């Protein structure tokens, strides 16, 4: 058994759904379970409809139009619309009327509202599979066994889900049925609909894969897998053949928006391989995500950068041998709800980075009570994701590249994550540094 997950753009309209079906048919011998996102930008459109409802206007035209057009273009006929789609659209409309009357949108209502996207898309897709002779059943996540806590808009999957999913999905697949399951959504024990956070369908797929003992979870995208660098920056960026779960989650945080950051956890627990595949190029092997790499792997998997970062240097001789100094410094950040990205410390100083968007005047005044503070804008973080047990080798190459290009490294941090080495350079040098490093590590 395998799990195949397709995101919103892969099921954006009738043509894309046909294309997905062609790919899935190839994999039928491996007994797939499908996990789908909402069609196209439906999730955003639902959120926009909620905003309109808050302003007193109720309209489901765009969502209704998209789904009914797809049903028409897929040749699915009246009764699919009548029995599967129209009741959901009715319910959605009633909900929007409710929102327009009470003029309030709680997290719980929001999750109930966006759930219609995935609930509609799986019904359209499953009906299409049946129409081309593939036995198929649409399943809402809760009917597939997914339970979550009640942290609306960003719920956690509960452990009890694993046994229930195995009990539902296993027998379905064994009886030759293609289950088409909603990504992104779940239900609490007391029956309220939740969502797992934007982009959460990846997580649904890995939870189902881990729970049902899949031999592989395939996440289908529109790129050839995880790339060694941003292709807009580095022309010869190329797909990475294999990365570890840790490297993949770290990459998700660092801008390579290939996978939902939390989605690696379930498969890591069960060592279920995850593969990122390209729906525009199904023959390409994609990137495989596994527990450990084969011998002979390069030390670095990928290089990313984040521009427009502010570097804060806090220096105080009072820090020497003291306790509580770091706590005081970080309390100032906490009070102002500032999120810190990188940190490096010495006996008498702390360097850290923040997004440039923040106004730091008040923070500076506060910190200057205990230390001298230097704030420098216009910096970039360059991050190497790879095998930190080979850090000396990685740093040697990195510093060599920087020295030869006359680039001054202004801070270095080798995280506890064992896969991430980051350093700070001037913003306008970041592009060149990434290119030069890419040439050095991947040539
Ligand atoms: N449809 C949801 C979103 O757009 C979930 C997903 O696509 O994974 O965020
Ligand atoms: Mg989406």
């Amino acid at each position: 058994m395998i799990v195949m997950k397709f995101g919103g753009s892969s099921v954006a309209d009738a043509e894309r759904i046909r294309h997905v079906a062609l790919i899935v048919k190839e994999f039928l011998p491996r007994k797939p379970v499908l996990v789908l996102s909402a069609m196209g930008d439906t999730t955003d459109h639902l959120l926009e409809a909620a905003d309109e409802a808050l302003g007193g206007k109720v309209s489901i035209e765009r969502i209704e139009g998209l789904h009914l057009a797809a049903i028409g273009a897929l040749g699915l006929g009246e009764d699919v619309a009548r029995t599967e789609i129209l009741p959901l659209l009715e319910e959605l409309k009633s909900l929007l009327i409710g929102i327009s009357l009470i003029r309030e949108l709680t997290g719980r209502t929001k999750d109930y509202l966006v759930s219609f996207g995935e609930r509609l898309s799986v019904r359209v897709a499953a009906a299409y599979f049946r129409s081309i002779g593939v036995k198929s059943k649409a399943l809402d996540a809760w009917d597939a066994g997914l339970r979550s806590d009640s942290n609306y808009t960003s719920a956690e999957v509960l452990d009890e889900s694993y046994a229930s999913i195995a009990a539902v999905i296993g027998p379905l697949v064994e009886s030759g049925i293609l289950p088409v399951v909603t990504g992104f959504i779940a239900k609490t024990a007391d029956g309220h609909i939740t969502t797992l956070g934007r982009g959460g369908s990846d997580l649904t797929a890995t939870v189902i894969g881990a729970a049902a003992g899949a031999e592989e979870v395939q996440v289908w995208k529109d790129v050839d897998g995880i790339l060694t660098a941003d292709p807009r920056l580095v022309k010869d960026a190329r797909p990475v053949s294999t990365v570890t779960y840790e490297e993949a989650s770290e990459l998700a945080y660092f801008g390579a928006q290939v996978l939902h950051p939390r989605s690696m956890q379930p498969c890591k627990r069960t060592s279920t391989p995850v593969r990122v595949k390209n729906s525009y190029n199904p023959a390409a092997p994609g990137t495989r995500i596994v527990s450990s790499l084969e011998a002979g792997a390069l030390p670095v998997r990928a290089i990313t950068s984040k521009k427009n970062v502010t570097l804060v240097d806090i220096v105080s001789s009072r820090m020497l041998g003291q306790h509580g100094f770091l706590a005081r410094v970080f309390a100032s950040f906490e009070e102002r709800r500032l999120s810190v990205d990188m940190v490096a410390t010495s006996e008498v100083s702390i360097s850290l980075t923040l997004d440039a968007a923040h106004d730091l005047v008040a923070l500076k005044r506060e910190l200057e009570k205990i230390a001298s503070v230097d704030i420098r804008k216009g910096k970039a973080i360059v991050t190497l994701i790879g095998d930190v047990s080979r850090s000396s080798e990685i740093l040697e190459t990195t510093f060599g590249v920087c020295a030869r290009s006359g680039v001054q490294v202004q801070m270095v941090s080798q995280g506890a994550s064992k896969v991430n080495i980051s350093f700070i350079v001037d913003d306008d040098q970041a592009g060149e540094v990434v290119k030069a490093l890419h040439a050095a590590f991947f040539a």
Side-chain angles (χ1 to χ4, degrees):
M1 191 211 111
I2 58 170
V3 175
M4 303 177 77
K5 182 259 165 176
F6 292 89
S9 59
S10 302
V11 291
D13 54 27
E15 191 197 327
R16 302 291 296 138
I17 292 173
R18 277 208 179 89
H19 183 71
V20 164
L22 282 180
I23 296 175
V24 172
K25 276 178 84 175
E26 291 288 308
F27 284 94
L28 284 178
R30 290 176 73 187
K31 302 188 176 157
V33 175
L34 235 54
V35 173
L36 299 185
S37 293
M39 289 177 64
D41 294 327
T42 299
T43 307
D44 291 324
H45 294 162
L46 284 163
L47 292 169
E48 282 158 33
D51 278 338
E52 285 174 14
L54 286 171
K57 181 169 171 262
V58 172
S59 160
I60 60 162
E61 252 169 60
R62 205 157 37 161
I63 290 151
E64 183 174 50
L66 176 74
H67 292 87
L68 294 182
I71 287 190
L74 291 169
L76 293 179
E78 282 291 297
D79 48 322
V80 171
R82 198 183 57 249
T83 57
E84 308 234 27
I85 304 303
L86 293 179
L88 281 177
L89 291 173
E90 270 313 305
E91 188 184 337
L92 167 61
K93 192 162 183 188
S94 308
L95 175 60
L96 287 169
I97 293 172
I99 294 170
S100 78
L101 291 175
I102 52 176
R103 305 270 165 131
E104 186 185 86
L105 185 64
T106 60
R108 186 159 108 185
T109 308
K110 209 184 217 177
D111 280 356
Y112 175 25
L113 176 89
V114 293
S115 76
F116 285 94
E118 271 70 8
R119 289 153 81 194
L120 287 164
S121 72
V122 295
R123 284 167 173 77
V124 174
Y128 178 63
F129 276 106
R130 288 193 297 270
S131 79
I132 57 169
V134 178
K135 275 198 253 164
S136 175
K137 184 173 157 67
L139 287 175
D140 293 325
W142 42 90
D143 293 328
L146 238 95
R147 291 280 170 280
S148 79
D149 65 13
S150 58
N151 189 7
Y152 296 102
T153 72
S154 179
E156 294 279 351
V157 176
L158 297 182
D159 275 344
E160 66 198 52
S161 309
Y162 288 78
S164 344
I165 291 170
V168 177
I169 295 295
L172 264 182
V173 171
E174 283 318 313
S175 63
I177 292 174
L178 169 71
V180 185
V181 188
T182 56
F184 181 49
I185 61 179
K187 251 185 196 176
T188 63
D190 52 0
H192 294 294
I193 295 177
T194 58
T195 65
L196 309 177
R198 292 306 304 266
S201 304
D202 291 346
L203 181 59
T204 309
T206 53
V207 166
I208 293 179
E215 58 185 86
E216 181 171 278
V217 175
Q218 300 176 343
V219 181
W220 290 79
K221 303 272 168 183
D222 49 15
V223 287
D224 275 337
I226 295 178
L227 300 180
T228 49
D230 182 342
R232 286 166 303 184
L233 196 62
V234 181
K235 292 202 294 322
D236 46 356
R238 57 167 194 255
V240 190
S241 67
T242 318
V243 302
T244 65
Y245 299 111
E246 290 83 0
E247 289 166 348
S249 16
E250 200 76 24
L251 275 163
Y253 282 112
F254 283 88
Q257 278 308 337
V258 186
L259 289 167
H260 187 277
R262 279 193 294 161
S263 62
M264 286 306 112
Q265 230 42 46
C267 284
K268 189 180 157 186
R269 281 209 299 208
T270 51
S271 299
T272 308
V274 177
R275 199 186 279 273
V276 182
K277 297 266 296 171
N278 186 355
S279 63
Y280 290 96
N281 184 14
T287 297
R288 209 168 131 81
I289 307 170
V290 293
S291 309
S292 55
L293 301 167
E294 62 274 19
L298 293 172
V300 172
R301 233 58 62 222
I303 306 169
T304 67
S305 61
K306 177 176 169 185
K307 291 186 127 191
N308 216 2
V309 165
T310 297
L311 180 61
V312 182
D313 283 325
I314 302 158
V315 182
S316 172
S317 51
R318 277 201 269 167
M319 194 175 150
L320 194 71
Q322 271 290 345
H323 56 84
F325 185 81
L326 287 175
R328 275 187 74 182
V329 168
F330 283 106
S332 304
F333 286 91
E334 139 98 288
E335 265 160 43
R336 289 172 182 76
R337 303 178 67 88
L338 293 171
S339 154
V340 173
D341 277 338
M342 272 173 73
V343 187
T345 66
S346 77
E347 268 304 337
V348 294
S349 71
I350 311 166
S351 296
L352 47 82
T353 67
L354 306 161
D355 279 341
H358 306 298
D359 178 12
L360 300 177
V361 179
L363 175 85
K364 185 162 196 259
R365 214 176 296 132
E366 172 82 22
L367 290 174
E368 276 175 341
K369 291 180 190 156
I370 50 169
S372 69
V373 180
D374 186 18
I375 295 181
R376 285 174 286 160
K377 295 199 181 255
K379 304 294 170 188
I381 304 178
V382 176
T383 299
L384 300 149
I385 304 293
D387 183 355
V388 170
S389 72
R390 292 163 76 178
S391 65
S392 303
E393 191 184 334
I394 297 173
L395 288 169
E396 180 189 29
T397 306
T398 302
F399 287 132
V401 163
C402 289
R404 278 191 299 280
S405 351
V407 169
Q408 191 210 344
V409 173
Q410 296 162 43
M411 168 183 169
V412 186
S413 161
Q414 176 174 323
S417 75
K418 305 197 181 53
V419 298
N420 170 341
I421 294 176
S422 293
F423 59 95
I424 300 289
V425 297
D426 280 342
D427 225 346
D428 52 8
Q429 295 178 322
E432 285 315 308
V433 170
V434 170
K435 273 185 223 166
L437 286 173
H438 193 272
F441 282 110
F442 298 109

